[in-house]
Amino acid sequence: METKKLQERVKKVVANVLKMDPEEISDDANFIFDLGADSMQSLELVAAFEEEFGIELDEDKALSVQTVADAVNFIASYLK
Amino acid sequence: MKKNIKVNLDKIFYPDSIAVVGANKVVGTVPYDILRNILDADFNGVVYPVSPRERFIAGIKAYKYVSDIPDPVDLAILVFPSSVTHLALEQCGQKGIKGVIIISAGFKEVGGEGIEREKRVKEIADKYGMSIIGPNCLGVINTDARSKINASFARRMPEEGTIAFLSQSGALCTAVLDYAYAKHIGFSKFISFGNKADVTEIDLLYYLKDDPKTKVILMYLEEITDGPGLMKAARTVIRAGKPILILKAGRTPEGALAAASHTGSMAGNDEICDAAFRQAGIIRCQNVEEMFNIAIAFAYQPMPKSNRIAIITNAGGPGVLATDAAIHEGLELAKFSEETLSMLKKNLPATANIKNPVDIIGDARVDRYNVALTAAFNEPSVDAVFTILTPQSMTEIDLIAREIAKVAHHSEKPIYASFMGEADVSQGIDVLQRNKIPHYFLPESMCRAFAIVYQFSQTRHNVPTTIPTYEDINAPYVEEMITHTISMGKQFLTEDESIRLLKAYGFPVLKTALATTVDEAIQKAEDIGFPVVMKVVSDKIIHKSEAGGVILNLQNKTEVTEAFHTILENVKKFNPTASVKGILIEKMILDGEEVILGLKRDKSFGPILMFGLGGIYVEIFKDVSFRIAPLTEHDAKAMIEETRASAILHGIRGRKPRDVEKIIECLLRLSQLAVNHPSIEEMDINPLIVQPKGMGAYVADVRIILKRE
């Protein structure tokens, strides 16, 4: 999948979980520091990524992903 | 960037503006409660919530980033999760914020990644010249009206007072606040310093030394990372007149690891801590209750001019208990003048005891307390007054408490009280506590608290600080010997090497000579003069006695010959592979008292010295004392006096007084040796044989263990 397209889908998922406009989310936004995710929302994000992309993520590794850019790379590695 | 800790700590305790970074709107969470506490405490400045999501919190405009705040910020309180703390901190640095409190946990205390996070936080602080309290802490409270800041998630703001409380544990802080609140104990500063990644208890001690609102400093410590630094800071603070009370956790002996020397096995972490605190003048407390018992005595009342007290009681038994405790603590009951006695006689019932302790009898009402208190305060020989009350049916508890407060208010002499009981006396106690009269449930605690205040008042000015050094030593020679031995892969010095080392440091060493043959042994023994001691010299044998390698009190040639062969046989049996360098012949001292001097290294405090009387006193009674090198002469003397066995050295029950001066000299030389040569890991001078007064002392045996390469 094209990186640009993957990035848009990631942002859409994040916006959905954190209840915000995808436009507000920058490419390298930190889920906690920039977007204000709490610990519960971090878990929700992992679940939402799995559902959106039809994949199963290693939860520990997934939770250490902190930014949109990291999430894009991380998910891309599962889609290869 | 260079940081000015004092200026930065002022930004933390007296900020004009605070940013709560990572704030949220969820009541009952740390980020929200901290913001709420700052607002509720009537902070004398501006507060900025910083939150990635919220536009306002508690009715105040919130900013997305610290950098968005248009005005300067003095203090940032970080409540973000540890994974992003560094991002927030970096922004604080760029914004020019110099004071930071990191509340978040998840750093060094969790190990692994947490250690890295803490390192990163410290690096950012240093890069921007910021000072950080925490992480992993409860926060900071300053009751000073100039600031009024409760930057913590404690349940309440304490009353204003003169006690500063510092704690490594956040949870203990809230317990202490609750305890103190019930007793109307106020605080000047309340600081939970957590992992002390940047600001340490030492920095805080120096800061509080100059804090005009603080009279006494209390600290709860779990680990001491810089022992000498803590001692130096404590001495400075104490010399400035502020007592330091420490509750140190970890009294268990697990720190006393198996060691190769006596000193190593005797000096556990706790003993070392005790010694270091005593040496620096720090008052070590056993528990929170004792700590506050002593703290309120310092905080509420003036220092006494002497240890002469008057006891006023409406109860005979408790009066006796208080008298016993007072005498036990080294206090004196003042002897009343004729004038005072006649005044008491005139105004008290005939059944009263007008001599100190004054017993105004069980049915005493407030008027009798007034008479006795006035008399005691006017009596020139009295420098402190202890008031005791037990609740009888006619006792005017509340009025008597008010009377004590009134009299105390007009007097420069300290007054303490013990209202014994619980339910009925509680109202009176409340009056005492509100009026800053130190109150104790037990007269014994009262006497102890006073005795500690009195000792502090006597010693804080006149503790000598000069470290004596001896010029007649050859340090380069010793260092060379040590370095050479370590480079050979050896960890022990042999007996003759050890003796050369001691001689180079001016220790009195017995005349000795090494013999490799029987004839040589006889010759050397005759040169030295009988009686002699013979000892095996071998790299492989450290515990010579165990190996049967020592024979004492040899009177003539025949005995020397016999001993020579016996030692060689014993050693061969003990360790067939041990190569024997020879047999050491040594003068035998007959009229001597054996003492042990020791040295070991401690991770936190550095070189530790030990003193004890030899033989069973060390082995069975563990009657030893410790100090941290370098020693002052005062320290060396105190080490000896502290042991119960010191009485033996001073000569009791017909025993001759010993040359204590020479022991002091040896301790000071050992101190110099310990400081000059960090590669000496452990050392026992065991025994040092001390002759009668004026006749000197001799090292009879020594064991020196070096650091591994």
Side-chain angles (χ1 to χ4, degrees):
Chain A
M1 194 187 302
E2 209 185 305
T3 310
K4 191 75 194 157
K5 215 161 180 192
L6 178 60
Q7 191 183 58
E8 269 171 33
R9 281 174 72 186
V10 166
K11 281 190 188 177
K12 206 180 88 196
V13 172
V14 174
N16 246 336
V17 171
L18 301 182
K19 295 179 185 60
M20 54 200 300
D21 189 339
E23 300 294 309
E24 291 176 57
I25 301 170
S26 67
D27 295 353
D28 58 355
N30 182 297
F31 298 134
I32 300 169
F33 183 64
D34 298 304
L35 308 180
D38 59 29
S39 50
M40 196 55 97
Q41 287 167 325
S42 298
L43 289 170
E44 283 173 25
L45 273 174
V46 176
F49 287 139
E50 287 180 338
E51 199 184 316
E52 171 72 20
F53 296 101
I55 50 178
E56 201 170 315
L57 301 171
D58 174 328
E59 195 169 300
D60 282 347
K61 280 188 191 156
L63 282 172
S64 69
V65 168
Q66 286 202 12
T67 63
V68 171
D70 288 348
V72 170
N73 289 335
F74 184 65
I75 293 164
S77 73
Y78 277 82
L79 295 175
K80 267 177 196 165
Chain B
M1 192 189 286
K2 200 169 179 289
K3 62 175 106 176
N4 185 330
I5 298 174
K6 178 155 184 344
V7 170
N8 290 355
L9 286 175
D10 266 338
K11 298 275 184 202
I12 292 175
F13 292 108
Y14 293 93
D16 287 330
S17 50
I18 304 175
V20 180
V21 185
N24 67 26
K25 276 184 175 171
V26 189
V27 178
T29 62
V30 171
Y32 180 83
D33 286 0
I34 286 188
L35 180 67
R36 191 78 255 174
N37 276 345
I38 295 172
L39 298 174
D40 289 350
D42 279 336
F43 167 55
N44 207 355
V46 192
V47 187
Y48 303 102
V50 174
S51 166
R53 302 288 300 275
E54 310 297 349
R55 288 171 50 220
F56 59 90
I57 300 173
I60 308 171
K61 176 180 163 50
Y63 296 86
K64 186 168 170 64
Y65 298 113
V66 158
S67 45
D68 296 339
I69 301 170
D71 295 314
V73 174
D74 289 333
L75 167 64
I77 301 165
L78 271 47
V79 282
F80 265 125
S82 60
S83 59
V84 295
T85 298
H86 64 286
L87 297 173
L89 192 62
E90 187 76 40
Q91 283 197 350
C92 291
Q94 285 163 0
K95 170 84 182 154
I97 298 173
K98 297 295 179 195
V100 176
I101 302 170
I102 302 179
I103 304 286
S104 326
F107 291 87
K108 193 176 77 185
E109 79 283 3
V110 297
E113 209 182 333
I115 298 172
E116 288 307 311
R117 284 178 186 150
E118 191 156 317
K119 233 191 247 168
R120 186 153 51 172
V121 155
K122 169 74 175 147
E123 280 163 13
I124 298 171
D126 291 344
K127 182 166 84 175
Y128 292 103
M130 296 187 271
S131 289
I132 297 177
I133 289 189
N136 185 27
C137 71
L138 181 86
V140 156
I141 297 173
N142 180 8
T143 59
D144 190 344
R146 191 153 71 81
S147 184
K148 276 274 176 210
I149 150 170
N150 180 1
S152 80
F153 59 100
R155 293 173 78 95
R156 58 164 56 95
M157 178 84 168
E159 291 177 29
E160 195 171 345
T162 55
I163 297 171
F165 185 85
L166 322 177
S167 177
Q168 202 165 353
S169 153
L172 184 77
C173 284
T174 54
V176 160
L177 279 173
D178 196 44
Y179 175 90
Y181 183 78
K183 295 178 186 299
H184 303 289
I185 297 171
F187 294 95
S188 54
K189 307 279 182 291
F190 203 93
I191 309 157
S192 157
F193 57 80
N195 292 5
K196 47 178 174 171
D198 180 50
V199 173
T200 66
E201 71 275 22
I202 297 172
D203 301 320
L204 293 167
L205 281 177
Y206 284 119
Y207 183 76
L208 292 169
K209 173 179 84 74
D210 298 324
D211 175 28
K213 296 285 176 183
T214 298
K215 260 174 82 174
V216 42
I217 302 167
L218 275 53
M219 199 182 322
Y220 169 76
L221 263 185
E222 281 167 5
E223 50 155 0
I224 295 170
T225 31
D226 175 9
L230 176 66
M231 289 171 72
K232 191 172 164 214
R235 283 197 181 101
T236 314
V237 173
I238 290 164
R239 223 169 294 132
K242 297 186 183 184
I244 301 171
L245 280 58
I246 298 186
L247 181 59
K248 164 77 175 70
R251 298 194 77 105
T252 46
E254 62 174 346
L257 301 167
S261 71
H262 269 298
T263 314
S265 61
M266 302 290 290
N269 285 346
D270 206 52
E271 287 80 5
I272 291 166
C273 231
D274 259 346
F277 285 5
R278 204 171 301 144
Q279 201 170 347
I282 294 167
I283 300 158
R284 185 173 187 177
C285 302
Q286 306 291 330
N287 51 54
V288 171
E289 189 176 357
E290 187 190 53
M291 187 178 224
F292 278 95
N293 275 345
I294 301 167
I296 55 172
F298 276 116
Y300 293 171
Q301 295 290 308
M303 299 260 179
K305 290 206 175 80
S306 82
N307 63 344
R308 288 189 307 269
I309 57 160
I311 297 174
I312 296 165
T313 176
N314 69 345
V320 178
L321 288 175
T323 305
D324 283 350
I327 303 299
H328 177 75
E329 296 290 349
L331 310 180
E332 275 181 51
L333 258 59
K335 205 167 173 331
F336 291 165
S337 63
E338 283 308 319
E339 200 182 330
T340 301
L341 289 171
S342 65
M343 187 270 202
L344 289 170
K345 195 171 181 184
K346 200 170 112 194
N347 294 294
L348 291 178
T351 46
N353 178 20
I354 57 169
K355 285 184 184 154
N356 198 7
V358 183
D359 186 350
I360 54 176
I361 311 298
D363 61 352
R365 292 177 192 268
V366 69
D367 56 326
R368 279 190 220 158
Y369 271 95
N370 175 284
V371 165
L373 282 168
T374 311
F377 275 114
N378 291 335
E379 164 61 49
S381 69
V382 170
D383 280 313
V385 178
F386 292 180
T387 319
I388 296 169
L389 174 147
T390 56
Q392 281 71 251
S393 61
M394 71 293 291
T395 309
E396 296 165 319
I397 300 165
D398 185 57
L399 287 178
I400 294 165
R402 284 175 205 283
E403 180 65 21
I404 293 169
K406 197 175 83 193
V407 178
H409 190 67
H410 298 292
S411 172
E412 283 175 5
K413 295 178 186 177
I415 182 163
Y416 292 45
S418 178
F419 280 21
M420 296 178 73
E422 185 121 18
D424 285 348
V425 291
S426 63
Q427 205 188 346
I429 292 171
D430 192 68
V431 171
L432 294 171
Q433 287 167 339
R434 284 177 192 275
N435 284 283
K436 308 299 173 211
I437 307 294
H439 172 266
Y440 305 88
F441 281 106
L442 302 174
E444 293 84 352
S445 313
M446 173 168 69
C447 293
R448 171 136 187 82
F450 177 83
I452 286 170
V453 174
Y454 171 68
Q455 279 161 18
F456 180 84
S457 73
Q458 292 301 298
T459 52
R460 74 181 170 99
H461 289 305
N462 51 18
V463 175
T465 51
T466 319
I467 308 291
T469 50
Y470 293 93
E471 300 297 331
D472 60 343
I473 61 156
N474 190 348
Y477 171 77
V478 169
E479 191 57 27
E480 158 86 41
M481 184 197 290
I482 294 170
T483 317
H484 176 74
T485 310
I486 294 176
S487 73
M488 303 283 287
K490 287 196 280 185
Q491 224 198 328
F492 301 97
L493 291 180
T494 60
E495 174 119 11
D496 56 322
E497 285 166 340
S498 301
I499 284 170
R500 275 190 279 133
L501 180 146
L502 288 178
K503 278 185 179 162
Y505 261 80
F507 283 92
V509 176
L510 282 176
K511 252 181 155 178
T512 60
L514 190 70
T516 49
T517 64
V518 175
D519 288 344
E520 211 181 341
I522 294 169
Q523 173 70 48
K524 300 273 159 96
E526 279 176 340
D527 291 348
I528 288 168
F530 291 105
V532 296
V533 179
M534 289 172 66
K535 295 175 186 173
V536 68
V537 179
S538 166
D539 286 352
K540 291 278 165 71
I541 294 172
I542 297 301
H543 299 277
K544 293 183 283 284
S545 300
E546 268 175 42
V550 180
I551 300 182
L552 306 174
N553 202 10
L554 305 163
Q555 300 285 351
N556 51 46
K557 278 200 254 181
T558 323
E559 288 184 14
V560 165
T561 310
E562 219 171 281
F564 193 94
H565 295 303
T566 313
I567 287 175
L568 290 183
E569 276 166 33
N570 289 349
V571 168
K572 200 163 186 186
K573 258 185 252 160
F574 185 77
N575 183 352
T577 63
S579 66
V580 173
K581 274 188 164 182
I583 306 284
L584 200 76
I585 319 286
E586 201 174 76
K587 176 83 185 154
M588 170 103 190
I589 303 280
L590 293 172
D591 184 15
E593 200 71 67
E594 295 190 357
V595 301
I596 168 169
L597 313 187
L599 153 70
K600 88 161 224 178
R601 304 268 159 198
D602 179 75
K603 209 167 62 194
S604 314
F605 285 99
I608 315 296
L609 302 189
M610 184 185 87
F611 168 80
L613 233 70
I616 57 163
Y617 299 99
V618 170
E619 298 284 346
I620 311 290
F621 301 123
K622 311 233 177 293
D623 183 20
V624 290
S625 59
F626 300 95
R627 285 292 183 280
I628 318 297
L631 299 185
T632 63
E633 199 172 329
H634 172 85
D635 293 330
K637 269 185 199 151
M639 277 181 90
I640 299 169
E641 298 311 318
E642 238 167 62
T643 58
R644 277 164 292 174
S646 68
I648 292 170
L649 295 172
H650 293 304
I652 49 160
R653 292 186 174 256
R655 291 194 191 217
K656 289 178 198 156
R658 298 284 146 180
D659 201 336
V660 174
E661 286 303 315
K662 200 68 190 176
I663 308 177
I664 292 169
E665 185 193 318
C666 288
L667 279 168
L668 292 171
R669 286 182 186 275
L670 184 62
S671 162
Q672 200 173 348
L673 177 74
V675 172
N676 286 353
H677 307 286
S679 297
I680 301 179
E681 187 67 27
E682 287 182 37
M683 182 165 163
D684 278 339
I685 293 178
N686 183 24
L688 175 78
I689 303 180
V690 190
Q691 295 196 289
K693 199 173 174 153
M695 291 174 67
Y698 293 98
V699 177
D701 201 358
V702 61
R703 187 178 305 160
I704 299 170
I705 299 156
L706 305 175
K707 274 212 170 84
R708 281 178 198 278
E709 200 175 9

